[in-house]
Amino acid sequence: MAKTALVVGASGIVGSATAALLVDGGWTVHGLARRSVEQEGVQPVTADLQDAEATRAALSDVHPDAVFITTWLRQDSEAENIRVNSAMVRNLLNGLPKPGGPRHVALVTGLKHYLGPFEAYGKGSLPQTPFREEQGRLDVENFYYAQEDELFAAAQRDGFTWSVHRPHTVIGKAVGNAMNMGTTLAVYATICREIGRPFTFPGSAAQWNGLTDMTDARQLARQLLWATETEAAHDEAFNIVNGDVFRWSWMWGRIADWFGVEAAPFDGIVRPLEQQMADDAGVWREIAAREGLAEPNLDRLASPWHTDADLGRPIEVVTDMGKSRRLGFTAYQATDDAFFDLFAQLRADRLIP
């Protein structure tokens, strides 16, 4: 396979990690985002995927062998999520130059495939954990399903292969990202240390005591590339997590130690970060000014609502990766090291002190 890629959502956590892996592997990489991407080795493509004609024009000179779709736009309702995000996938795939379109298109979705959309998150009749790819769709409207349907229809029409990738909560760096637990926890720990606030687990007893897993963005990028280059992985959907499991009762102390704060005892009461951090914007501006940080706007670093959704779930969530393992994907990433690597990168980039 020739090595030209289009990474859609290149400024995000998954997109930037995927672009970096491809560049390191010698690919020619085009990075599409609404604002111009500044990443070493990535050729920026600026487009709003909600605008079909503008997308077609922006892609007129881009001829990728592989496309990696790593973006979505959060809306106020699931009906709007479906309308907007399915149109974005449709506009992208319709806008690629033809003939001679991509050979493979990889779509990143997530475990809401099994848990349901935010409006019905973790409610109703859910499949038994660990989640397995063959468990299929829930009987509920879900923008992930709408995105998949657009992918499948375009693949049948245009003759490319596809893969779908379902990560758990993703650990990685991006500023202005809507779903960013790692940076959110880093900012929260920094504020706790600054003002002497207890470093309090915000979630449920089920998450504190139960087993869970997560996905390093670099691990996801490895699977995206593997599926693109592995014929047996074509036209398949895969779960993707780091390969370890842990309990937050253990991980919370690990994170606290990294930041030099003491983890507060967990008393079983849910204390959402969205409430704890509601008035923290001014504190963060003061920290950023004193320490010379690159981003003084708390809203561009932290996404408490998303961290609360994950850590507040009333059920244990673990993910099976047997399908890709049997086909030869053997990459592994320890989750505590994934957090520590991210925190070190945030500090090096002057995003936290």
Side-chain angles (χ1 to χ4, degrees):
M1 176 180 288
K3 291 190 173 184
T4 301
L6 173 65
V7 177
V8 183
S11 61
I13 292 175
V14 177
S16 59
T18 302
L21 180 67
L22 293 167
V23 169
D24 288 346
W27 289 63
T28 298
V29 179
H30 302 270
L32 187 150
R34 283 177 293 171
R35 291 175 292 276
S36 183
V37 175
E38 296 182 7
Q39 184 174 350
E40 186 176 355
V42 177
Q43 302 176 26
V45 179
T46 305
D48 182 349
L49 293 179
Q50 297 181 82
D51 186 329
E53 288 308 311
T55 298
R56 188 183 303 275
L59 294 173
S60 61
D61 293 325
V62 179
H63 299 274
D65 299 287
V67 177
F68 303 89
I69 305 174
T70 72
T71 190
W72 72 289
L73 283 178
R74 186 189 182 202
Q75 305 298 311
D76 291 335
S77 69
E78 192 60 19
E80 279 299 288
N81 276 333
I82 290 168
R83 184 187 68 81
V84 169
N85 289 285
S86 62
M88 289 168 59
V89 174
R90 183 168 61 253
N91 292 342
L92 168 72
L93 297 177
N94 288 346
L96 290 167
K98 300 176 182 61
R103 302 181 187 185
H104 187 83
V105 178
L107 170 67
V108 176
T109 60
L111 293 195
K112 287 189 290 296
H113 181 95
Y114 310 106
L115 287 163
F118 287 118
E119 291 178 4
Y121 199 49
K123 301 175 183 176
S125 178
L126 297 173
Q128 191 175 42
T129 58
F131 295 138
R132 303 176 189 275
E133 295 92 344
E134 62 267 22
Q135 288 168 314
R137 296 180 175 185
L138 299 174
D139 186 21
V140 62
E141 295 296 310
N142 189 323
F143 82 88
Y144 283 170
Y145 306 160
Q147 287 181 309
E148 287 183 342
D149 288 343
E150 293 291 344
L151 174 67
F152 301 156
Q156 186 171 25
R157 179 193 68 210
D158 297 334
F160 58 77
T161 60
W162 56 265
S163 57
V164 174
H165 304 261
R166 299 169 186 159
H168 198 167
T169 305
V170 176
I171 302 169
K173 179 201 162 190
V175 176
N177 190 273
M179 301 192 300
N180 197 339
M181 181 189 285
T183 304
T184 299
L185 293 181
V187 168
Y188 173 60
T190 300
I191 291 172
C192 287
R193 186 178 62 203
E194 174 77 10
I195 65 177
R197 175 189 295 165
F199 186 61
T200 302
F201 183 72
S204 67
Q207 292 304 304
W208 180 258
N209 296 313
L211 291 172
T212 193
D213 47 30
M214 294 184 73
T215 308
D216 189 307
R218 299 167 298 183
Q219 173 82 337
L220 174 50
R222 294 180 198 114
Q223 194 193 59
L224 288 167
L225 179 56
W226 166 82
T228 298
E229 297 183 327
T230 303
E231 185 175 352
H234 292 170
D235 301 338
E236 298 284 353
F238 298 103
N239 294 332
I240 173 62
V241 287
N242 288 334
D244 62 354
V245 294
F246 64 91
R247 303 180 198 276
W248 276 106
S249 56
W250 174 79
M251 185 67 77
W252 198 249
R254 298 278 287 161
I255 293 173
D257 289 346
W258 199 94
F259 284 96
V261 296
E262 185 174 348
F266 179 66
D267 60 7
I269 299 174
V270 176
R271 294 181 171 84
L273 286 181
E274 200 161 23
Q275 296 175 15
Q276 291 192 54
M277 301 179 71
D279 299 320
D280 285 347
V283 175
W284 186 257
R285 280 195 300 272
E286 292 176 4
I287 295 172
R290 186 187 70 228
E291 302 290 341
L293 301 183
E295 182 51 73
N297 185 345
L298 180 65
D299 290 338
R300 284 185 46 78
L301 291 175
S303 52
W305 70 272
H306 178 257
T307 299
D308 287 340
D310 276 2
L311 297 184
R313 287 183 298 216
I315 59 172
E316 181 178 90
V317 177
V318 288
T319 316
D320 178 74
M321 279 187 60
K323 186 177 183 181
S324 60
R325 296 298 194 212
R326 285 191 292 270
L327 293 175
F329 181 74
T330 59
Y332 168 86
Q333 170 65 57
T335 300
D336 54 345
D337 287 341
F339 273 121
F340 301 157
D341 289 349
L342 170 63
F343 299 155
Q345 183 181 10
L346 294 174
R347 182 167 285 172
D349 293 344
R350 304 302 302 157
L351 290 168
I352 61 173

